[in-house]
Amino acid sequence: MKKPTIFALTLFLLFAVCAERAEACTTFCLKGKGEILFGKNYDWMIGDGLLFVNKRGVSKKAVADSPAAVNTASWVSKYGSITFNQYGRENPSGGMNETGLVIELMWLDETQWPAKDERPVVGTLEWIQYQLDSFATVDEVIRNAEQVRIASEVKIHYLVSDKAGNAATIEFLNGKLAATRGDQLTVSALANDTYAKSINYLKTAASTESQSSLDRFTRAARNTKEFEVRPKTEQEAVDYAFQTLADVAQKGHTQWSIVYDQKRSKIHFRTMQSLAVKTIDAVAFDYSCGSAVKLFDVNSRETGEVTGKFVDYSRSANRDLIERSFTGTPFLKNVPAAFRDVAASYPESFACGASASPKVEVKKETAKSLSLLDLTFPIYGLVREYLS
């Protein structure tokens, strides 16, 4: 066995161990008395991250698990969005687009992605950006969910909600799409078990004080039901969402708590490193292609309204995020610096317009010395997609 293969296998095994031990996230939707909100606890070992303002009208190409893949998906973004990213630009753990569509992910051991076929391929995080770029409603997401195929070793599922208050769980079980919505979605919440298993547990659960996935789901579910019958002001609704996030938080693991106010196109969040709530007005940004991409450090000491505190994107900021996140993630700390450079620069290959043909540029000497195409990108295709 060649050394690169051994190295890749070692990282994969480390990844599997971390995935098994890592605490994972909780999401829920609140709807009632005219209020529509989405809550997310991001539970992980490190809390570094940037918010990115992504543009409409940008031609993009997926990396998926390998830049050498023949049929990676290409698309032009229809909508702008704001996303939370930890392992680099264009690879979000979740976010909201300018229409109010929100998508967030959580770990799910039972996930089994579709078998290889002729459909264009995306990664698990690229799938989020693709959906935010392309669609405005839950119906559109589900109707088009199988136009692309997720190819990954990472096992996750998604909760999706739109500005009208429609919600759905998106899971891939036994290689097939399993979407739950409408009357089938009796509770708009999700943790780290299948939706069906979580609902069955909810029906019989007695004590639910633990930090297990099913108990977190049950507490979130009960809070969503209570919200439906209480009239609330805007601030009371946001406070209620944060109270629910606190109720399902995992001490020492909850890095970010996020509340999307979809009705007003606002995002409120706090982090373990910066506990004061920050607020973003998503309507205030220029999403037109060609305007500067903006970013904001999630752990900034700024408080309150921070919309005007976003700064212009730079490769150095993206590279610094990748450096901190990779170095702080045990199974990524040995990924070579040259690969981190490529990962940081890749989004800059995207351009305005449908005629653009984004691609990965890798220097020959870099590829030769590090076997990037055969080693580091497949590893990155595994690890960059895993956000619990």
Side-chain angles (χ1 to χ4, degrees):
M1 182 180 290
K2 296 180 180 179
K3 288 184 178 180
T5 305
I6 294 173
F7 182 57
L9 177 59
T10 301
L11 279 193
F12 178 78
L13 291 174
L14 285 172
F15 167 81
V17 170
C18 288
E20 183 176 329
R21 293 180 179 176
E23 305 294 348
C25 307
T26 313
T27 59
F28 56 84
C29 303
L30 300 176
K31 180 180 179 182
K33 308 300 181 181
E35 301 297 328
I36 301 168
L37 303 100
F38 189 115
K40 164 71 179 284
N41 270 347
Y42 173 73
D43 302 338
W44 188 227
M45 62 182 70
I46 57 173
D48 298 282
L50 292 176
L51 281 153
F52 285 97
V53 178
N54 308 288
K55 306 297 178 166
R56 68 174 85 96
V58 179
S59 180
K60 301 182 180 184
K61 184 175 180 61
V63 175
D65 282 349
S66 169
V70 175
N71 198 26
T72 52
S74 298
W75 68 95
V76 177
S77 57
K78 184 177 180 181
Y79 303 107
S81 62
I82 298 176
T83 55
F84 288 80
N85 298 49
Q86 190 162 58
Y87 293 97
R89 180 180 157 196
E90 294 294 331
N91 292 290
S93 64
M96 179 174 71
N97 72 15
E98 59 184 312
T99 73
L101 181 73
V102 175
I103 302 177
E104 287 283 357
L105 60 75
M106 292 130 287
W107 187 261
L108 179 67
D109 283 331
E110 291 87 347
T111 295
Q112 183 179 339
W113 303 115
K116 184 177 180 180
D117 56 31
E118 298 303 314
R119 287 176 293 172
V121 170
V122 296
T124 51
L125 297 191
E126 289 171 326
W127 188 89
I128 293 175
Q129 192 62 63
Y130 168 77
Q131 301 296 337
L132 293 175
D133 285 348
S134 304
F135 306 115
T137 68
V138 168
D139 282 347
E140 289 179 338
V141 170
I142 294 174
R143 191 162 58 244
N144 294 279
E146 295 188 286
Q147 296 302 307
V148 295
R149 179 175 61 85
I150 295 175
S152 178
E153 298 296 327
V154 180
K155 299 176 180 294
I156 62 171
H157 58 172
Y158 306 91
L159 184 63
V160 185
S161 174
D162 62 32
K163 195 170 187 175
N166 304 304
T169 63
I170 305 289
E171 300 173 319
F172 288 85
L173 306 175
N174 300 314
K176 296 181 180 180
L177 173 67
T180 307
R181 58 173 171 162
D183 293 340
Q184 301 286 320
L185 192 76
T186 56
V187 174
S188 298
L190 202 58
N192 311 112
D193 287 277
T194 65
Y195 185 74
K197 182 177 180 180
S198 301
I199 287 296
N200 287 335
Y201 182 83
L202 176 64
K203 295 174 182 177
T204 59
S207 174
T208 61
E209 299 304 313
S210 82
Q211 294 188 1
S212 72
S213 166
L214 292 173
D215 281 354
R216 283 184 281 117
F217 171 86
T218 299
R219 293 198 296 277
R222 290 172 177 172
N223 282 3
T224 64
K225 290 298 185 182
E226 177 67 20
F227 185 85
E228 294 176 1
V229 299
R230 285 189 184 181
K232 287 179 172 54
T233 65
E234 174 184 350
Q235 189 58 53
E236 287 172 340
V238 172
D239 289 345
Y240 187 97
F242 274 115
Q243 290 165 10
T244 300
L245 289 171
D247 193 25
V248 298
Q250 301 186 81
K251 187 175 181 179
H253 294 282
T254 299
Q255 299 289 345
W256 309 337
S257 293
I258 307 165
V259 176
Y260 300 94
D261 183 342
Q262 295 161 273
K263 175 182 176 181
R264 299 174 182 86
S265 296
K266 293 182 179 180
I267 303 173
H268 310 273
F269 68 98
R270 63 183 357 145
T271 72
M272 185 187 295
Q273 297 180 38
S274 183
L275 293 175
V277 174
K278 301 170 183 60
T279 299
I280 301 163
D281 183 358
V283 176
F285 293 103
D286 180 1
Y287 295 103
S288 61
C289 191
S291 62
V293 172
K294 298 286 186 177
L295 60 83
F296 182 82
D297 190 330
V298 298
N299 292 315
S300 167
R301 296 302 174 184
E302 298 285 350
T303 63
E305 173 64 53
V306 297
T307 307
K309 304 296 184 179
F310 278 63
V311 299
D312 288 354
Y313 166 83
S314 66
R315 182 184 301 181
S316 62
N318 195 33
R319 178 63 174 81
D320 180 60
L321 172 65
I322 289 170
E323 183 67 25
R324 287 181 285 129
S325 295
F326 276 49
T327 301
T329 305
F331 53 87
L332 280 178
K333 64 182 180 181
N334 293 323
V335 170
F339 166 69
R340 301 183 192 198
D341 293 339
V342 173
S345 63
Y346 172 66
E348 296 165 24
S349 67
F350 299 164
C352 296
S355 61
S357 300
K359 60 181 180 179
V360 182
E361 298 290 347
V362 182
K363 293 181 179 180
K364 290 183 179 179
E365 59 269 24
T366 301
K368 182 178 180 180
S369 62
L370 296 174
S371 299
L372 280 175
L373 296 181
D374 298 323
L375 171 59
T376 54
F377 266 95
I379 293 171
Y380 189 51
L382 292 176
V383 178
R384 72 180 171 78
E385 295 171 348
Y386 176 61
L387 295 175
S388 61

